[in-house]
Amino acid sequence: MNVSSRIALAAGVAASSVVLLSGTAFAHVGVEPQGEAAKGGYATVNFKVPNERDNASTVKLEVTLPTDTPMASVMPQPVPGWTVKVDKAKLAKPLDMHGKKITEAPSKITWTADGSKIGPGQFQQFPVSLGQLPENADKLVFKALQTYDNKEVVRWIEEPKDGAPEPEAPAPVLKLSAATGDHHAGGSTAAKGHDTEKNAESAAASTDTTARVLGVGGILVGAAGVAFGVLAGRRRSA
Protein backbone atom coordinates (compact mmCIF):
# COMPACT_ATOMS: atom_id res chain seq x y z
CA MET A 1 0.00 0.00 0.00
CA ASN A 2 1.50 3.35 -1.02
CA VAL A 3 1.63 6.47 1.12
CA SER A 4 -1.37 8.10 -0.59
CA SER A 5 -3.55 5.06 0.02
CA ARG A 6 -2.55 4.93 3.69
CA ILE A 7 -3.37 8.61 4.16
CA ALA A 8 -6.75 8.17 2.47
CA LEU A 9 -7.56 5.12 4.64
CA ALA A 10 -6.57 6.95 7.83
CA ALA A 11 -8.68 9.93 6.86
CA GLY A 12 -11.68 7.70 6.16
CA VAL A 13 -11.37 5.97 9.53
CA ALA A 14 -11.07 9.31 11.31
CA ALA A 15 -14.14 10.69 9.52
CA SER A 16 -16.15 7.57 10.38
CA SER A 17 -15.15 7.90 14.04
CA VAL A 18 -16.30 11.51 14.11
CA VAL A 19 -19.67 10.57 12.63
CA LEU A 20 -20.17 7.75 15.11
CA LEU A 21 -19.12 9.83 18.11
CA SER A 22 -21.28 12.74 17.00
CA GLY A 23 -24.32 10.48 16.71
CA THR A 24 -23.68 9.08 20.17
CA ALA A 25 -23.18 12.52 21.72
CA PHE A 26 -26.38 14.04 20.39
CA ALA A 27 -28.72 11.03 20.61
CA HIS A 28 -30.08 11.69 24.08
CA VAL A 29 -33.27 12.95 25.72
CA GLY A 30 -33.43 16.74 25.51
CA VAL A 31 -35.78 19.67 26.10
CA GLU A 32 -36.35 22.62 23.79
CA PRO A 33 -38.70 25.61 24.16
CA GLN A 34 -41.34 26.43 21.56
CA GLY A 35 -40.34 30.06 21.21
CA GLU A 36 -39.04 31.77 24.34
CA ALA A 37 -38.65 30.51 27.91
CA ALA A 38 -38.26 33.73 29.89
CA LYS A 39 -37.66 34.00 33.62
CA GLY A 40 -40.86 34.57 35.54
CA GLY A 41 -43.04 33.68 32.58
CA TYR A 42 -44.79 30.68 31.05
CA ALA A 43 -43.49 28.51 28.22
CA THR A 44 -44.34 25.46 26.16
CA VAL A 45 -41.45 23.03 25.80
CA ASN A 46 -40.84 19.79 23.93
CA PHE A 47 -39.16 16.81 25.53
CA LYS A 48 -37.45 15.14 22.58
CA VAL A 49 -36.85 11.40 22.94
CA PRO A 50 -34.76 9.58 20.32
CA ASN A 51 -34.57 5.78 20.21
CA GLU A 52 -30.95 4.66 20.59
CA ARG A 53 -31.39 0.92 20.20
CA ASP A 54 -31.52 -1.17 17.04
CA ASN A 55 -33.41 -4.07 18.62
CA ALA A 56 -35.78 -2.37 21.10
CA SER A 57 -38.42 0.38 21.23
CA THR A 58 -38.99 3.09 23.83
CA VAL A 59 -42.22 2.57 25.77
CA LYS A 60 -41.93 4.97 28.73
CA LEU A 61 -40.48 8.35 29.64
CA GLU A 62 -40.33 9.69 33.20
CA VAL A 63 -39.30 13.31 33.74
CA THR A 64 -38.56 14.59 37.24
CA LEU A 65 -39.35 18.27 37.75
CA PRO A 66 -36.99 20.53 39.75
CA THR A 67 -37.82 20.65 43.46
CA ASP A 68 -35.68 23.67 44.32
CA THR A 69 -37.59 25.81 41.80
CA PRO A 70 -41.10 24.23 41.74
CA MET A 71 -43.72 25.24 39.19
CA ALA A 72 -47.41 25.34 40.05
CA SER A 73 -48.66 24.88 36.48
CA VAL A 74 -47.58 21.81 34.47
CA MET A 75 -49.93 20.79 31.64
CA PRO A 76 -48.88 18.07 29.16
CA GLN A 77 -50.34 18.14 25.66
CA PRO A 78 -51.99 14.84 24.67
CA VAL A 79 -49.83 12.66 22.42
CA PRO A 80 -51.66 9.99 20.36
CA GLY A 81 -50.74 6.47 21.46
CA TRP A 82 -49.43 7.58 24.86
CA THR A 83 -50.98 8.05 28.31
CA VAL A 84 -49.63 10.73 30.63
CA LYS A 85 -49.67 11.14 34.40
CA VAL A 86 -48.53 14.10 36.51
CA ASP A 87 -47.54 13.35 40.11
CA LYS A 88 -47.51 16.05 42.80
CA ALA A 89 -45.51 16.45 45.99
CA LYS A 90 -45.81 18.57 49.13
CA LEU A 91 -43.65 21.68 49.14
CA ALA A 92 -41.29 22.44 51.99
CA LYS A 93 -42.01 26.13 51.38
CA PRO A 94 -45.41 27.14 49.92
CA LEU A 95 -45.51 29.12 46.70
CA ASP A 96 -47.29 32.47 46.44
CA MET A 97 -48.99 32.53 43.04
CA HIS A 98 -51.41 35.34 42.14
CA GLY A 99 -52.09 35.92 45.84
CA LYS A 100 -52.80 32.24 46.52
CA LYS A 101 -50.68 29.91 48.63
CA ILE A 102 -49.66 26.73 46.78
CA THR A 103 -48.70 23.91 49.17
CA GLU A 104 -48.00 21.20 46.56
CA ALA A 105 -46.62 21.23 43.05
CA PRO A 106 -46.06 18.79 40.16
CA SER A 107 -42.97 16.66 40.78
CA LYS A 108 -42.92 14.14 37.92
CA ILE A 109 -44.44 13.51 34.49
CA THR A 110 -44.74 9.96 33.13
CA TRP A 111 -45.61 9.06 29.55
CA THR A 112 -46.44 5.40 28.89
CA ALA A 113 -46.95 3.83 25.48
CA ASP A 114 -50.58 2.89 24.84
CA GLY A 115 -50.73 1.58 21.28
CA SER A 116 -47.59 3.40 20.13
CA LYS A 117 -43.82 3.08 20.55
CA ILE A 118 -40.66 4.91 19.56
CA GLY A 119 -38.99 2.43 17.24
CA PRO A 120 -35.37 2.15 16.11
CA GLY A 121 -34.30 5.16 14.08
CA GLN A 122 -37.27 7.24 15.33
CA PHE A 123 -37.91 9.98 17.88
CA GLN A 124 -40.97 11.43 19.62
CA GLN A 125 -41.71 14.85 21.10
CA PHE A 126 -43.78 15.35 24.24
CA PRO A 127 -45.06 18.96 24.61
CA VAL A 128 -45.65 20.48 28.05
CA SER A 129 -46.79 23.91 29.20
CA LEU A 130 -44.75 25.08 32.22
CA GLY A 131 -45.07 28.01 34.59
CA GLN A 132 -44.46 30.13 36.36
CA LEU A 133 -40.77 29.80 35.52
CA PRO A 134 -38.37 30.87 38.28
CA GLU A 135 -37.03 34.41 38.23
CA ASN A 136 -33.79 33.63 40.08
CA ALA A 137 -32.45 30.79 37.90
CA ASP A 138 -30.70 30.68 34.53
CA LYS A 139 -31.69 27.11 33.71
CA LEU A 140 -33.87 24.19 34.76
CA VAL A 141 -32.57 20.62 34.93
CA PHE A 142 -35.02 17.78 34.26
CA LYS A 143 -33.72 14.32 35.16
CA ALA A 144 -35.27 11.66 32.91
CA LEU A 145 -35.61 7.88 32.71
CA GLN A 146 -36.12 6.20 29.32
CA THR A 147 -37.51 2.66 29.36
CA TYR A 148 -37.35 0.20 26.46
CA ASP A 149 -39.62 -2.77 25.78
CA ASN A 150 -36.74 -5.15 26.62
CA LYS A 151 -36.86 -3.76 30.22
CA GLU A 152 -33.70 -1.70 29.79
CA VAL A 153 -33.78 1.69 31.56
CA VAL A 154 -31.46 4.52 30.54
CA ARG A 155 -30.98 7.15 33.24
CA TRP A 156 -30.48 10.65 31.82
CA ILE A 157 -29.65 12.24 35.17
CA GLU A 158 -26.13 13.71 34.96
CA GLU A 159 -26.17 17.50 35.19
CA PRO A 160 -23.90 19.17 32.61
CA LYS A 161 -21.33 21.55 34.09
CA ASP A 162 -20.21 24.79 32.43
CA GLY A 163 -16.78 24.41 30.88
CA ALA A 164 -16.72 20.63 31.38
CA PRO A 165 -17.16 17.90 28.74
CA GLU A 166 -20.70 16.67 28.24
CA PRO A 167 -21.44 13.66 30.48
CA GLU A 168 -22.33 10.29 28.97
CA ALA A 169 -25.94 10.48 30.12
CA PRO A 170 -26.77 14.20 30.42
CA ALA A 171 -30.05 15.36 31.92
CA PRO A 172 -32.25 17.61 29.75
CA VAL A 173 -31.51 21.29 30.47
CA LEU A 174 -33.84 24.20 29.69
CA LYS A 175 -32.02 27.54 29.46
CA LEU A 176 -34.03 30.57 30.59
CA SER A 177 -33.81 33.95 28.91
CA ALA A 178 -34.08 37.35 30.57
CA ALA A 179 -37.48 38.38 31.92
CA THR A 180 -39.68 40.19 29.41
CA GLY A 181 -41.94 42.01 31.88
CA ASP A 182 -45.00 40.05 30.71
CA HIS A 183 -45.38 36.94 32.86
CA HIS A 184 -48.40 35.52 31.08
CA ALA A 185 -48.41 33.17 28.13
CA GLY A 186 -49.14 34.92 24.90
CA GLY A 187 -48.02 38.32 26.20
CA SER A 188 -45.41 38.74 23.50
CA THR A 189 -47.93 37.70 20.87
CA ALA A 190 -50.40 40.29 22.09
CA ALA A 191 -47.68 42.95 22.01
CA LYS A 192 -46.78 42.01 18.46
CA GLY A 193 -50.46 42.18 17.49
CA HIS A 194 -50.73 45.63 19.06
CA ASP A 195 -47.66 46.82 17.15
CA THR A 196 -49.05 45.38 13.93
CA GLU A 197 -52.34 47.19 14.49
CA LYS A 198 -50.51 50.48 15.12
CA ASN A 199 -48.44 50.00 11.97
CA ALA A 200 -51.60 49.29 9.98
CA GLU A 201 -53.24 52.45 11.33
CA SER A 202 -50.16 54.53 10.48
CA ALA A 203 -50.08 53.06 6.98
CA ALA A 204 -53.77 53.80 6.50
CA ALA A 205 -53.30 57.39 7.70
CA SER A 206 -50.35 57.84 5.36
CA THR A 207 -52.33 56.44 2.44
CA ASP A 208 -55.25 58.75 3.21
CA THR A 209 -52.96 61.79 3.33
CA THR A 210 -51.33 60.81 0.05
CA ALA A 211 -54.75 60.38 -1.58
CA ARG A 212 -55.82 63.83 -0.43
CA VAL A 213 -52.65 65.46 -1.77
CA LEU A 214 -53.06 63.70 -5.10
CA GLY A 215 -56.75 64.73 -5.22
CA VAL A 216 -55.96 68.40 -4.62
CA GLY A 217 -53.16 68.20 -7.19
CA GLY A 218 -55.57 66.71 -9.72
CA ILE A 219 -58.08 69.49 -9.14
CA LEU A 220 -55.39 72.13 -9.64
CA VAL A 221 -54.16 70.46 -12.82
CA GLY A 222 -57.72 70.23 -14.12
CA ALA A 223 -58.39 73.91 -13.36
CA ALA A 224 -55.19 74.89 -15.15
CA GLY A 225 -56.29 72.86 -18.18
CA VAL A 226 -59.67 74.59 -18.30
CA ALA A 227 -58.04 78.02 -18.06
CA PHE A 228 -55.63 77.16 -20.87
CA GLY A 229 -58.52 75.98 -23.05
CA VAL A 230 -60.44 79.23 -22.51
CA LEU A 231 -57.43 81.37 -23.40
CA ALA A 232 -56.74 79.34 -26.52
CA GLY A 233 -60.35 79.77 -27.65
CA ARG A 234 -60.18 83.54 -27.20
CA ARG A 235 -57.00 83.75 -29.25
CA ARG A 236 -58.57 81.81 -32.14
CA SER A 237 -61.65 84.06 -32.02
CA ALA A 238 -59.44 87.15 -32.23
Side-chain angles (χ1 to χ4, degrees), residues 2-234:
N2 57 33
V3 176
S4 299
S5 299
R6 291 178 180 177
I7 292 175
L9 178 60
V13 172
S16 299
S17 300
V18 170
V19 171
L20 290 174
L21 291 175
S22 298
T24 302
F26 290 101
H28 54 71
V29 175
V31 59
E32 299 174 352
Q34 293 183 13
E36 187 177 24
K39 298 178 182 180
Y42 292 77
T44 298
V45 302
N46 287 325
F47 287 96
K48 185 176 180 180
V49 184
N51 192 88
E52 294 188 304
R53 302 294 179 261
D54 295 330
N55 57 353
S57 298
T58 298
V59 293
K60 181 185 288 188
L61 174 68
E62 299 169 78
V63 174
T64 300
L65 304 174
T67 56
D68 53 342
T69 54
M71 291 167 287
S73 176
V74 175
M75 296 186 294
Q77 179 176 317
V79 177
W82 296 79
T83 60
V84 61
K85 178 185 177 184
V86 178
D87 292 323
K88 292 186 176 183
K90 291 288 184 180
L91 297 176
K93 182 180 179 181
L95 291 176
D96 187 359
M97 187 174 182
H98 305 304
K100 183 180 179 181
K101 292 292 183 181
I102 306 297
T103 58
E104 63 177 13
S107 58
K108 186 173 73 169
I109 312 174
T110 303
W111 288 271
T112 306
D114 182 22
S116 182
K117 296 180 179 181
I118 308 174
Q122 299 178 342
F123 77 93
Q124 177 67 55
Q125 294 191 104
F126 299 94
V128 181
S129 174
L130 301 174
Q132 186 172 353
L133 301 177
E135 298 181 349
N136 57 349
D138 295 323
K139 62 182 180 181
L140 293 177
V141 179
F142 302 90
K143 296 183 179 182
L145 301 181
Q146 181 179 9
T147 302
Y148 290 87
D149 56 8
N150 61 359
K151 307 303 181 183
E152 178 188 5
V153 178
V154 181
R155 300 168 62 83
W156 304 102
I157 61 173
E158 299 179 59
E159 183 174 349
K161 302 295 183 181
D162 294 336
E166 185 179 64
E168 292 186 5
V173 176
L174 177 66
K175 294 183 179 180
L176 304 181
S177 60
T180 60
D182 188 346
H183 291 173
H184 296 281
S188 59
T189 302
K192 290 179 181 178
H194 181 63
D195 292 341
T196 301
E197 183 178 353
K198 289 177 64 178
N199 292 337
E201 290 176 355
S202 298
S206 177
T207 301
D208 183 61
T209 301
T210 301
R212 291 181 181 180
V213 171
L214 292 176
V216 172
I219 292 173
L220 293 176
V221 171
V226 171
F228 179 78
V230 171
L231 292 174
R234 289 179 178 178

